[in-house]
Amino acid sequence: MIVGYFSGKQKDFAALMDAAAREMTRRGARVVGRIVQRRGVSDGGAGKMALPYSSRTLLSHGKAREAAALCVRTDADAAVFLAPLTERQRRVLTGMFGCPAVSLVDSPATDRVAPTGPVLPAHGGARSRRSLGRTR
C-alpha cells in the first residue's frame, strides 16, 4: 500500500503517487491500494500545511484508521509512505496497520531499495507475495 501526505499547494500529488507505484512495481511489489492525505485544502488547514496532523502518525485520525483498514482488507505486506517517517511514527503506524510502515526516503543500499529509497520488507509465510499493492 502507498501512503502520500501532501500540502494542499502540492498540485502534482497524483503524479507522485503514480511514480511511486511504478517504481514499486518495477521492484517486484504489487500495489494493493493508495491512501492520500492532503493538508491545507480547507480554510482551517491552510496555515498548518507544512505540519503533520499528528506527530505520532503523520496522518489525521480518520485517515490513519482508513489506512489500517485497507492494510487488513488487502493483507498488505507494508505501508510505504512517500514522506519521511520518524522512528516513533514507524513504530506507531506499524502497530496500527499490522504491517511495517516504511518510507520512500529510507535509503539503505540493497537490491530491495528503489532509487528514491524504500525498503520493501520481505516476509515469509502467507505474505511472501510482497503484496504492497495492485493498482486499480
Side-chain angles (χ1 to χ4, degrees):
M1 176 179 76
I2 303 171
V3 184
Y5 176 82
F6 303 100
S7 158
K9 291 182 179 180
Q10 182 92 43
K11 302 300 181 200
D12 63 344
F13 69 92
L16 294 171
M17 294 289 285
D18 290 342
R22 281 191 304 274
E23 180 57 31
M24 290 169 49
T25 300
R26 188 180 75 75
R27 293 288 178 163
R30 195 171 47 92
V31 178
V32 294
R34 298 175 183 205
I35 297 287
V36 173
Q37 174 83 67
R38 295 188 69 210
R39 179 96 192 230
V41 176
S42 67
D43 291 335
K48 300 179 181 181
M49 273 195 280
L51 302 174
Y53 275 99
S54 164
S55 62
R56 292 180 60 233
T57 65
L58 186 70
L59 307 170
S60 69
H61 181 68
K63 197 59 76 168
R65 285 185 303 159
E66 181 183 335
L70 183 60
C71 283
V72 169
R73 188 171 62 250
T74 62
D75 194 30
D77 283 342
V80 180
F81 282 73
L82 274 68
L85 297 174
T86 65
E87 194 56 44
R88 179 180 184 206
Q89 289 167 336
R90 275 193 258 291
R91 205 172 39 253
V92 169
L93 290 164
T94 295
M96 284 180 74
F97 294 176
C99 66
V102 298
S103 175
L104 280 171
V105 297
D106 295 333
S107 58
T110 72
D111 64 331
R112 294 184 301 136
V113 178
T116 52
V119 177
L120 304 178
H123 291 281
R127 291 184 160 191
S128 62
R129 300 176 313 250
R130 289 178 51 187
S131 58
L132 296 176
R134 173 185 26 187
T135 355
R136 297 172 210 221

